[in-house]
Amino acid sequence: MTQPFPATLIITGASRGIGAAVALLAGRHGWRVAVNYARDEVAAGSVVAAIREAGGTAEAIQGDVSREADILALFRAAEDRLGPLGGLVNNAGITGGFARIDELGAEPLARVLALNVAGTILCAREAVRRLSTRHGGTGGAIVNVSSLASRTGGAGEWVHYAATKGAIDTFTIGLAREIAAEGVRVNAVAPGLIETDLHATNGAPDRAERMAPGIPMQRAGTPEEVAEGVLWLLSPAASYTTGTILEIGGGR
Ligand code: NAP
């Protein structure tokens, strides 16, 4: 699955969790890795240091992916510092917190939509402008990070968040077909319950442990297990795979 030639991979939200695991694995597979982060410069710096220690190439690039100006700056900085783009992993995502629909605030909803949906779509636009043969590019791959919540619906926890992931699934299928003849493959991974800071950030640090008995494999997944799927979808081994949503959920 090693990259056949050096190319830059932008991973949004790569300072921790799934994004960091994808960054570390991508570095080992020969990608030049742009480790995007929003706030945690120290955490992003340690992901970059780990990639470099393993012999890879990486740069930390700050940018709030819910803001178009930051997205434009992120793509420019990644290419200036690492060279031509070859791939994008649209990973940055938030839940907006636990809330039934009757408790949902417009402000957290707007933030979730801006990052999970608009941010993903605008990052994909910037990638297509560089990768598509229609724009003089040489092709590449985009992987969107969806969620099993797009199928289960998130009832009682966060239907608003699940709905943003439903949007990502639809976007993945449509964009894949739109640019399939332009050398760019577009796929998604839909992780199930994964052990990251996301649960503690939402005030439920024991959520993975609590929900594990309801998962056929009886455990939460790891960020590294999701990263394996992402790297396969990015690689030439997945050369005939586009518009696919790969579920990584322990049988859920
Ligand atoms: P996480 O541990 O909470 O990490 C989130 C990452 O996103 C951090 O690197 C954070 O950077 C970054 N981020 C947050 N807001 C950002 C913004 N506005 N712009 C750029 N980066 C931003 O989350 P995770 O669990 O790894 O989740 C990653 C993705 O997987 C999300 O799309 C999530 O919906 C999806 N997912 C997660 C699970 C799960 O169980 N964990 C399941 C299914 C799907 P800073 O630290 O710098 O703020």
Side-chain angles (χ1 to χ4, degrees), residues 1 13 17 29 60 82 88 96 101 142 145 179-180 230 241 248:
M1 290 203 305
H29 283 266
L82 290 163
L88 164 70
I101 191 70
I142 298 172
V145 179
I179 59 176
V230 173
T241 302
I248 303 176

Side-chain angles (χ1 to χ4, degrees), residues 12-20 36-41 43-44 62-67 70 90-95 111 115-116 145-149 158 161 164-165 189-199 201-202 207 221 223 226 252:
T12 64
S15 56
R16 54 199 159 86
I18 293 169
N36 162 252
Y37 66 99
R39 283 163 295 270
D40 198 339
E41 186 179 1
Q62 195 280 333
D64 178 345
V65 169
S66 65
R67 292 164 44 94
D70 284 24
N90 266 316
N91 167 77
I94 53 172
T95 65
R111 278 192 287 117
L115 179 61
N116 296 14
V145 179
S146 176
S147 170
L148 273 193
W158 38 42
Y161 165 70
T164 67
K165 297 302 188 178
V189 291
L193 186 69
I194 307 299
E195 278 170 20
T196 69
D197 291 349
L198 178 141
H199 314 290
T201 303
N202 287 288
R207 184 168 176 265
V226 179
R252 196 156 145 234

